[in-house]
Amino acid sequence: MPIVENRAYRKNLTSQGLLYLGYQEHPIKIVNLSLTGLLAELVDTPPGNGIKDIFSALQVSPIVDIYLPEMRVVGEAEVVRAEATEQGFQIAIEFRHLSYDADQLLYSRRAYRKSMTEPGHIVLDGVDYAFSTENVSVDGLMIRMFGLVKVQPNSIADFDFKHLELQGQAKVIWVEHDEFSTLIGLQYQHLARGDFKGIPNFSVAGLQAAG
């Protein structure tokens, strides 16, 4: 009787994408794919200490962000195995939180929005409010505040988001209310620092440059 492996069927294919790991976007080549995850190789294997840096980053957190344009998938995944091989550097990934129709998402928003629920503070019309993020990108934030907060679009607000060490000013792009809270879309205007550690860009232009 043949032995049946207790794992999802994996299809071999040739496809490329981007993996955000160790505060960098890495082009990857898909080796095989299943409904639950994939096996990929880094297109450009980091020289010298680059491999050590990747292992160190995975020890801090195995959660990574991926963008697979041909499958129109973008989102979070977990690295379950990483090893150096004769062919290069391979990474086995299990999917966690994915969004589909990535072409429309990235073209319309210009950059990947990472789901993230972390606290921050914002000053609207002279009043300091606590907020919780819904998602974060290199362009702006989507935040939620408890209660009905009245604010006009195009207003400029000071904000502080310690989780990503972001501080500065943002423009209110849109405002929505429900029965219990206020949801606001913010676009960065002036930031105390210009880099975004922990948030990939995953822009269409960035993928073309990587390819």
Side-chain angles (χ1 to χ4, degrees), residues 7 62 65 75 85 103 108 114-115 131 137 154 165 178 182 196:
R7 69 173 186 173
D65 297 278
T85 67
D103 288 343
S108 61
K114 181 177 177 66
S115 296
F131 68 73
S137 79
N154 297 319
E165 300 179 9
D178 59 25
T182 300
F196 291 83

Side-chain angles (χ1 to χ4, degrees), residues 100-146:
Y100 299 90
D101 200 9
D103 288 343
Q104 180 178 352
L105 183 150
L106 292 178
Y107 274 114
S108 61
R109 293 180 173 175
R110 294 183 299 171
Y112 167 55
R113 295 195 175 201
K114 181 177 177 66
S115 296
M116 181 181 295
T117 304
E118 297 291 343
H121 287 87
I122 189 169
V123 179
L124 297 168
D125 296 328
V127 181
D128 193 333
Y129 296 93
F131 68 73
S132 178
T133 55
E134 296 282 310
N135 59 56
V136 184
S137 79
V138 296
D139 289 334
L141 306 166
M142 183 188 297
I143 64 172
R144 187 179 297 274
M145 295 176 291
F146 180 75

Side-chain angles (χ1 to χ4, degrees), residues 15-204:
S15 182
Q16 291 189 336
L18 291 173
L19 171 75
Y20 187 74
L21 172 63
Y23 301 131
Q24 293 184 353
E25 293 183 15
H26 301 275
I28 57 174
K29 179 177 67 176
I30 311 303
V31 178
N32 58 54
L33 174 75
S34 75
L35 293 176
T36 59
L38 59 84
L39 179 64
E41 291 180 355
L42 296 187
V43 173
D44 299 316
T45 303
N49 292 331
I51 294 295
K52 294 181 180 179
D53 292 340
I54 289 178
F55 279 117
S56 296
L58 291 174
Q59 289 178 349
V60 174
S61 174
I63 303 301
V64 298
D65 297 278
I66 58 172
Y67 174 33
L68 309 176
E70 293 184 16
M71 285 161 275
R72 304 169 73 182
V73 169
V74 66
E76 288 186 342
E78 180 177 358
V79 175
V80 295
R81 189 179 76 255
E83 59 184 353
T85 67
E86 292 182 358
Q87 291 74 29
F89 192 82
Q90 288 192 342
I91 297 178
I93 292 173
E94 288 187 358
F95 300 137
R96 288 293 178 259
H97 306 288
L98 300 182
S99 297
Y100 299 90
D101 200 9
D103 288 343
Q104 180 178 352
L105 183 150
L106 292 178
Y107 274 114
S108 61
R109 293 180 173 175
R110 294 183 299 171
Y112 167 55
R113 295 195 175 201
K114 181 177 177 66
S115 296
M116 181 181 295
T117 304
E118 297 291 343
H121 287 87
I122 189 169
V123 179
L124 297 168
D125 296 328
V127 181
D128 193 333
Y129 296 93
F131 68 73
S132 178
T133 55
E134 296 282 310
N135 59 56
V136 184
S137 79
V138 296
D139 289 334
L141 306 166
M142 183 188 297
I143 64 172
R144 187 179 297 274
M145 295 176 291
F146 180 75
L148 177 62
V149 178
K150 293 184 179 180
V151 60
Q152 295 298 319
N154 297 319
S155 300
I156 303 298
D158 294 317
F159 78 97
D160 182 6
F161 185 43
K162 293 185 180 300
H163 183 73
L164 294 180
E165 300 179 9
L166 293 179
Q167 183 178 6
Q169 291 185 325
K171 178 190 287 187
V172 176
I173 302 301
W174 53 264
V175 182
E176 294 182 358
H177 302 95
D178 59 25
E179 186 178 358
F180 304 104
S181 64
T182 300
L183 193 64
I184 297 180
L186 298 172
Q187 183 181 73
Y188 306 128
Q189 297 297 297
H190 304 286
L191 296 177
R193 48 179 285 185
D195 58 332
F196 291 83
K197 288 188 175 181
I199 303 298
N201 189 46
F202 283 172
S203 66
V204 175

